[in-house]
């Protein structure tokens, strides 16, 4: 029998959660405090506003005239410029066009068509991991499976697949306020 347990915080593909604060590992108490504070919360430390409640977030996402994403959604101007025109940094009608394209890839039929390859990849990884007595669920399982599945889903060329986790981590690290992981993300 294979035992599952997380052995570490850092995955094999890079900077995953190096030196995380308690808030990063468990953000839910902070989320609850923000929601309790009100529907709109001023984050003066970051010169930003937060909408911590579903109703306000939902309304803002539907109102691109007031809450535009076209100039970017991050705190760092350089990264916003790099992402300009992409799904995260665009408004309708361009954003709507990109969503239609992405939605086609995520429709049940498209996902069903990937079923056999997803199953084959999952079985290959699990068979390899089952040979050992323990493994890291993040780096050995999730980081091995997810990039292959996502790469197939979006049609990423083979030569670019090894960078998908690093790109995702850098995007995550670069969108927030400037912190210790930000320089590596840029």
């Amino acid at each position: 029998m294979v035992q599952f347990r997380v052995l570490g915080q850092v995955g094999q593909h890079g900077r995953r959660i190096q030196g995380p604060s308690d808030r990063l590992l468990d953000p839910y108490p902070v989320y609850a405090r923000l929601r309790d504070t009100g529907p709109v919360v001023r984050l003066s430390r970051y010169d930003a506003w937060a909408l911590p409640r579903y109703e306000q977030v939902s309304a803002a996402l539907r109102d691109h005239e007031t809450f535009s994403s076209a100039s970017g959604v991050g705190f760092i101007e350089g990264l916003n410029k790099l992402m300009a025109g992409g799904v995260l940094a665009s408004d309708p009608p361009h954003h709507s066009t990109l969503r239609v394209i992405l939605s086609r890839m995520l429709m049940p039929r498209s996902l069903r068509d990937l079923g056999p390859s997803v199953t084959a990849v999952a079985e290959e990884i699990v068979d390899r991991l089952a040979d050992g007595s323990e493994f890291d669920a993040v780096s050995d399982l999730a980081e091995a499976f997810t990039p292959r599945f996502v790469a197939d889903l979006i049609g990423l060329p083979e030569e670019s697949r090894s960078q998908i986790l690093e790109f995702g981590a850098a995007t995550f690290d670069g969108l927030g306020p400037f912190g210790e992981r930000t320089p590596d993300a840029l």
Side-chain angles (χ1 to χ4, degrees):
M1 177 167 94
V2 176
Q3 291 187 340
F4 294 90
R5 76 184 168 107
V6 177
L7 299 174
Q9 299 288 340
V10 180
Q12 69 186 27
H13 295 288
R15 305 170 280 96
R16 291 270 302 144
I17 304 175
Q18 293 181 2
S21 69
D22 290 340
R23 288 183 306 274
L24 184 58
L25 292 174
D26 183 16
Y28 300 103
V30 174
Y31 296 161
R33 204 167 71 234
L34 286 169
R35 283 191 304 274
D36 290 345
T37 300
V40 179
V41 179
R42 175 78 176 144
L43 304 175
S44 56
R45 177 179 179 183
Y46 302 114
D47 190 27
W49 294 90
L51 305 176
R53 297 180 182 170
Y54 174 82
E55 184 179 344
Q56 286 73 31
V57 170
S58 181
L61 288 172
R62 289 189 310 271
D63 181 4
H64 70 275
E65 304 265 336
T66 305
F67 302 97
S68 175
S69 298
S71 296
V73 295
F75 283 78
I76 299 172
E77 189 60 34
L79 188 57
N80 284 333
K81 287 181 182 176
L82 286 173
M83 296 179 69
V87 176
L88 290 179
S90 62
D91 289 330
H94 181 66
H95 177 78
S96 302
T97 301
L98 296 175
R99 277 193 59 176
V100 166
I101 294 167
L102 284 174
S103 295
R104 283 188 199 133
M105 290 187 271
L106 298 173
M107 293 179 101
R109 179 177 178 189
S110 297
L111 295 175
R112 209 171 21 256
D113 292 345
L114 285 176
S117 66
V118 169
T119 300
V121 168
E123 287 175 351
E124 171 195 324
I125 293 169
V126 169
D127 287 347
R128 180 176 44 82
L129 295 175
D131 289 342
S133 60
E134 62 183 34
F135 63 88
D136 185 316
V138 173
S139 65
D140 296 330
L141 181 62
E143 287 186 356
F145 178 75
T146 305
R148 289 174 67 180
F149 172 68
V150 171
D152 286 346
L153 185 65
I154 63 175
L156 194 64
E158 195 67 42
E159 62 272 7
S160 300
R161 292 175 180 222
S162 64
Q163 299 169 327
I164 197 167
L165 283 176
E166 187 175 336
F167 176 73
T171 301
F172 177 82
D173 292 345
L175 285 176
F178 196 87
E180 64 185 55
R181 292 187 319 268
T182 309
D184 290 338
L186 302 175

Short mmCIF file of all heavy atoms in Angstrom, two decimals, residues 70-108:
data_model
loop_
_atom_site.label_atom_id
_atom_site.label_comp_id
_atom_site.label_asym_id
_atom_site.label_seq_id
_atom_site.Cartn_x
_atom_site.Cartn_y
_atom_site.Cartn_z
N ALA A 70 -7.98 46.03 -18.30
CA ALA A 70 -7.17 46.30 -19.48
C ALA A 70 -5.79 46.85 -19.15
O ALA A 70 -4.84 46.62 -19.89
CB ALA A 70 -7.91 47.24 -20.43
N SER A 71 -5.66 47.56 -18.06
CA SER A 71 -4.35 48.11 -17.67
C SER A 71 -3.57 47.14 -16.80
O SER A 71 -2.47 47.46 -16.35
CB SER A 71 -4.54 49.43 -16.91
OG SER A 71 -5.11 50.40 -17.76
N GLY A 72 -4.13 45.99 -16.55
CA GLY A 72 -3.46 44.99 -15.74
C GLY A 72 -4.19 44.72 -14.44
O GLY A 72 -5.04 45.49 -14.02
N VAL A 73 -3.85 43.60 -13.83
CA VAL A 73 -4.50 43.19 -12.60
C VAL A 73 -3.50 43.02 -11.46
O VAL A 73 -3.88 42.63 -10.37
CB VAL A 73 -5.29 41.88 -12.80
CG1 VAL A 73 -6.44 42.08 -13.77
CG2 VAL A 73 -4.38 40.75 -13.25
N GLY A 74 -2.25 43.29 -11.71
CA GLY A 74 -1.22 43.12 -10.70
C GLY A 74 -0.74 44.43 -10.13
O GLY A 74 -1.15 45.51 -10.55
N PHE A 75 0.16 44.32 -9.18
CA PHE A 75 0.72 45.49 -8.51
C PHE A 75 1.96 46.03 -9.22
O PHE A 75 2.41 47.12 -8.89
CB PHE A 75 1.09 45.12 -7.06
CG PHE A 75 -0.08 45.04 -6.13
CD1 PHE A 75 -0.91 43.93 -6.13
CD2 PHE A 75 -0.35 46.08 -5.26
CE1 PHE A 75 -1.99 43.85 -5.27
CE2 PHE A 75 -1.43 46.01 -4.40
CZ PHE A 75 -2.25 44.90 -4.40
N ILE A 76 2.53 45.27 -10.13
CA ILE A 76 3.80 45.66 -10.75
C ILE A 76 3.57 46.03 -12.21
O ILE A 76 3.13 45.21 -13.02
CB ILE A 76 4.83 44.52 -10.61
CG1 ILE A 76 5.07 44.27 -9.11
CG2 ILE A 76 6.12 44.86 -11.33
CD1 ILE A 76 5.89 43.08 -8.81
N GLU A 77 3.87 47.28 -12.53
CA GLU A 77 3.58 47.84 -13.85
C GLU A 77 4.23 47.03 -14.98
O GLU A 77 3.60 46.78 -16.00
CB GLU A 77 4.05 49.30 -13.90
CG GLU A 77 3.60 50.02 -15.15
CD GLU A 77 2.08 50.08 -15.30
OE1 GLU A 77 1.37 50.17 -14.28
OE2 GLU A 77 1.60 50.01 -16.44
N GLY A 78 5.47 46.63 -14.81
CA GLY A 78 6.16 45.88 -15.86
C GLY A 78 5.46 44.57 -16.20
O GLY A 78 5.33 44.22 -17.37
N LEU A 79 5.01 43.86 -15.19
CA LEU A 79 4.29 42.60 -15.43
C LEU A 79 2.94 42.88 -16.07
O LEU A 79 2.50 42.15 -16.96
CB LEU A 79 4.13 41.81 -14.13
CG LEU A 79 3.58 40.40 -14.28
CD1 LEU A 79 4.45 39.56 -15.21
CD2 LEU A 79 3.48 39.73 -12.93
N ASN A 80 2.28 43.94 -15.65
CA ASN A 80 1.01 44.31 -16.28
C ASN A 80 1.20 44.56 -17.77
O ASN A 80 0.37 44.16 -18.58
CB ASN A 80 0.41 45.54 -15.59
CG ASN A 80 -0.21 45.21 -14.25
OD1 ASN A 80 -0.64 44.10 -14.01
ND2 ASN A 80 -0.24 46.19 -13.37
N LYS A 81 2.28 45.22 -18.13
CA LYS A 81 2.55 45.49 -19.55
C LYS A 81 2.79 44.19 -20.32
O LYS A 81 2.33 44.04 -21.45
CB LYS A 81 3.74 46.44 -19.71
CG LYS A 81 3.41 47.86 -19.33
CD LYS A 81 4.61 48.77 -19.51
CE LYS A 81 4.24 50.18 -19.07
NZ LYS A 81 5.37 51.09 -19.14
N LEU A 82 3.52 43.26 -19.70
CA LEU A 82 3.77 41.97 -20.35
C LEU A 82 2.49 41.17 -20.58
O LEU A 82 2.36 40.45 -21.55
CB LEU A 82 4.74 41.12 -19.52
CG LEU A 82 6.20 41.54 -19.53
CD1 LEU A 82 6.99 40.71 -18.52
CD2 LEU A 82 6.78 41.36 -20.93
N MET A 83 1.55 41.30 -19.66
CA MET A 83 0.32 40.52 -19.73
C MET A 83 -0.79 41.22 -20.52
O MET A 83 -1.86 40.64 -20.72
CB MET A 83 -0.17 40.20 -18.32
CG MET A 83 0.81 39.32 -17.55
SD MET A 83 0.27 38.96 -15.88
CE MET A 83 -1.12 37.90 -16.22
N ALA A 84 -0.53 42.45 -20.95
CA ALA A 84 -1.56 43.23 -21.65
C ALA A 84 -2.13 42.47 -22.84
O ALA A 84 -1.39 41.88 -23.63
CB ALA A 84 -0.97 44.57 -22.11
N GLY A 85 -3.44 42.47 -22.93
CA GLY A 85 -4.12 41.81 -24.04
C GLY A 85 -4.40 40.34 -23.81
O GLY A 85 -5.08 39.71 -24.61
N GLY A 86 -3.87 39.77 -22.72
CA GLY A 86 -4.14 38.38 -22.40
C GLY A 86 -5.48 38.24 -21.68
O GLY A 86 -6.18 39.22 -21.45
N VAL A 87 -5.83 37.04 -21.32
CA VAL A 87 -7.12 36.79 -20.68
C VAL A 87 -7.28 37.58 -19.39
O VAL A 87 -8.34 38.14 -19.13
CB VAL A 87 -7.32 35.28 -20.41
CG1 VAL A 87 -8.61 35.02 -19.66
CG2 VAL A 87 -7.31 34.50 -21.70
N LEU A 88 -6.24 37.64 -18.57
CA LEU A 88 -6.35 38.34 -17.29
C LEU A 88 -6.33 39.86 -17.45
O LEU A 88 -6.87 40.57 -16.62
CB LEU A 88 -5.22 37.94 -16.35
CG LEU A 88 -5.25 36.52 -15.80
CD1 LEU A 88 -4.04 36.28 -14.90
CD2 LEU A 88 -6.53 36.26 -15.04
N ALA A 89 -5.68 40.35 -18.47
CA ALA A 89 -5.49 41.80 -18.62
C ALA A 89 -6.17 42.32 -19.88
O ALA A 89 -5.53 42.87 -20.78
CB ALA A 89 -4.00 42.13 -18.63
N SER A 90 -7.46 42.10 -19.94
CA SER A 90 -8.24 42.62 -21.07
C SER A 90 -9.70 42.77 -20.63
O SER A 90 -10.13 42.17 -19.66
CB SER A 90 -8.14 41.69 -22.28
OG SER A 90 -8.66 40.40 -21.99
N ASP A 91 -10.40 43.59 -21.37
CA ASP A 91 -11.84 43.81 -21.15
C ASP A 91 -12.59 43.39 -22.40
O ASP A 91 -11.99 43.25 -23.47
CB ASP A 91 -12.11 45.31 -20.89
CG ASP A 91 -11.61 45.78 -19.54
OD1 ASP A 91 -11.56 44.98 -18.60
OD2 ASP A 91 -11.27 46.98 -19.43
N PRO A 92 -13.91 43.22 -22.30
CA PRO A 92 -14.71 42.96 -23.50
C PRO A 92 -14.54 44.11 -24.50
O PRO A 92 -14.32 45.25 -24.07
CB PRO A 92 -16.14 42.89 -22.97
CG PRO A 92 -15.99 42.51 -21.53
CD PRO A 92 -14.72 43.17 -21.08
N PRO A 93 -14.59 43.81 -25.76
CA PRO A 93 -14.93 42.53 -26.39
C PRO A 93 -13.74 41.57 -26.55
O PRO A 93 -13.93 40.39 -26.77
CB PRO A 93 -15.47 42.95 -27.75
CG PRO A 93 -14.74 44.20 -28.08
CD PRO A 93 -14.52 44.90 -26.76
N HIS A 94 -12.50 42.08 -26.43
CA HIS A 94 -11.33 41.21 -26.62
C HIS A 94 -11.33 40.07 -25.60
O HIS A 94 -11.08 38.91 -25.96
CB HIS A 94 -10.05 42.04 -26.52
CG HIS A 94 -8.80 41.24 -26.72
ND1 HIS A 94 -8.49 40.65 -27.93
CD2 HIS A 94 -7.81 40.91 -25.86
CE1 HIS A 94 -7.34 39.99 -27.81
NE2 HIS A 94 -6.91 40.13 -26.57
N HIS A 95 -11.60 40.36 -24.35
CA HIS A 95 -11.63 39.35 -23.31
C HIS A 95 -12.67 38.27 -23.63
O HIS A 95 -12.43 37.07 -23.45
CB HIS A 95 -11.94 39.99 -21.95
CG HIS A 95 -12.07 39.00 -20.84
ND1 HIS A 95 -10.97 38.43 -20.24
CD2 HIS A 95 -13.16 38.48 -20.23
CE1 HIS A 95 -11.39 37.59 -19.31
NE2 HIS A 95 -12.71 37.61 -19.29
N SER A 96 -13.82 38.70 -24.13
CA SER A 96 -14.88 37.74 -24.47
C SER A 96 -14.43 36.78 -25.56
O SER A 96 -14.71 35.58 -25.50
CB SER A 96 -16.14 38.49 -24.93
OG SER A 96 -16.57 39.38 -23.92
N THR A 97 -13.71 37.29 -26.54
CA THR A 97 -13.18 36.44 -27.63
C THR A 97 -12.22 35.40 -27.06
O THR A 97 -12.29 34.22 -27.40
CB THR A 97 -12.47 37.31 -28.69
OG1 THR A 97 -13.40 38.25 -29.20
CG2 THR A 97 -11.92 36.45 -29.81
N LEU A 98 -11.32 35.84 -26.19
CA LEU A 98 -10.36 34.91 -25.58
C LEU A 98 -11.06 33.87 -24.71
O LEU A 98 -10.69 32.69 -24.72
CB LEU A 98 -9.33 35.68 -24.75
CG LEU A 98 -8.43 36.63 -25.52
CD1 LEU A 98 -7.55 37.43 -24.57
CD2 LEU A 98 -7.59 35.89 -26.54
N ARG A 99 -12.09 34.28 -23.98
CA ARG A 99 -12.83 33.34 -23.14
C ARG A 99 -13.52 32.27 -23.98
O ARG A 99 -13.58 31.10 -23.59
CB ARG A 99 -13.87 34.06 -22.29
CG ARG A 99 -13.27 34.63 -21.03
CD ARG A 99 -14.33 35.05 -20.08
NE ARG A 99 -15.18 33.90 -19.72
CZ ARG A 99 -16.14 33.96 -18.84
NH1 ARG A 99 -16.40 35.09 -18.23
NH2 ARG A 99 -16.87 32.92 -18.57
N VAL A 100 -14.06 32.66 -25.13
CA VAL A 100 -14.72 31.68 -26.01
C VAL A 100 -13.70 30.63 -26.45
O VAL A 100 -13.99 29.43 -26.43
CB VAL A 100 -15.38 32.38 -27.22
CG1 VAL A 100 -15.76 31.36 -28.29
CG2 VAL A 100 -16.59 33.18 -26.77
N ILE A 101 -12.53 31.08 -26.83
CA ILE A 101 -11.48 30.14 -27.27
C ILE A 101 -11.10 29.19 -26.15
O ILE A 101 -11.04 27.97 -26.33
CB ILE A 101 -10.25 30.92 -27.79
CG1 ILE A 101 -10.61 31.68 -29.06
CG2 ILE A 101 -9.08 29.98 -28.04
CD1 ILE A 101 -9.59 32.72 -29.49
N LEU A 102 -10.86 29.73 -24.96
CA LEU A 102 -10.51 28.89 -23.82
C LEU A 102 -11.66 27.98 -23.41
O LEU A 102 -11.44 26.82 -23.06
CB LEU A 102 -10.09 29.75 -22.63
CG LEU A 102 -8.71 30.37 -22.72
CD1 LEU A 102 -8.47 31.31 -21.55
CD2 LEU A 102 -7.65 29.29 -22.75
N SER A 103 -12.86 28.48 -23.46
CA SER A 103 -14.02 27.68 -23.07
C SER A 103 -14.18 26.46 -23.96
O SER A 103 -14.56 25.39 -23.48
CB SER A 103 -15.30 28.53 -23.13
OG SER A 103 -15.25 29.55 -22.18
N ARG A 104 -13.87 26.61 -25.23
CA ARG A 104 -13.96 25.44 -26.13
C ARG A 104 -13.05 24.33 -25.67
O ARG A 104 -13.38 23.15 -25.76
CB ARG A 104 -13.59 25.86 -27.56
CG ARG A 104 -14.67 26.59 -28.27
CD ARG A 104 -14.32 26.81 -29.74
NE ARG A 104 -15.14 27.88 -30.26
CZ ARG A 104 -14.71 28.90 -30.98
NH1 ARG A 104 -13.44 28.98 -31.30
NH2 ARG A 104 -15.53 29.82 -31.40
N MET A 105 -11.85 24.70 -25.18
CA MET A 105 -10.90 23.69 -24.71
C MET A 105 -11.35 23.03 -23.42
O MET A 105 -10.91 21.93 -23.09
CB MET A 105 -9.52 24.31 -24.52
CG MET A 105 -8.86 24.70 -25.82
SD MET A 105 -7.17 25.26 -25.58
CE MET A 105 -7.42 26.99 -25.28
N LEU A 106 -12.21 23.71 -22.67
CA LEU A 106 -12.65 23.18 -21.38
C LEU A 106 -14.04 22.55 -21.42
O LEU A 106 -14.55 22.12 -20.39
CB LEU A 106 -12.63 24.30 -20.33
CG LEU A 106 -11.25 24.91 -20.07
CD1 LEU A 106 -11.37 26.11 -19.16
CD2 LEU A 106 -10.30 23.88 -19.49
N MET A 107 -14.63 22.48 -22.59
CA MET A 107 -15.96 21.87 -22.73
C MET A 107 -15.85 20.37 -22.48
O MET A 107 -14.81 19.76 -22.73
CB MET A 107 -16.53 22.14 -24.12
CG MET A 107 -16.86 23.61 -24.34
SD MET A 107 -17.49 23.89 -25.99
CE MET A 107 -19.22 23.98 -25.62
N PRO A 108 -16.92 19.78 -22.00
CA PRO A 108 -16.90 18.34 -21.71
C PRO A 108 -16.38 17.48 -22.87
O PRO A 108 -15.62 16.54 -22.65
CB PRO A 108 -18.35 18.02 -21.37
CG PRO A 108 -18.88 19.30 -20.81
CD PRO A 108 -18.19 20.39 -21.60
#
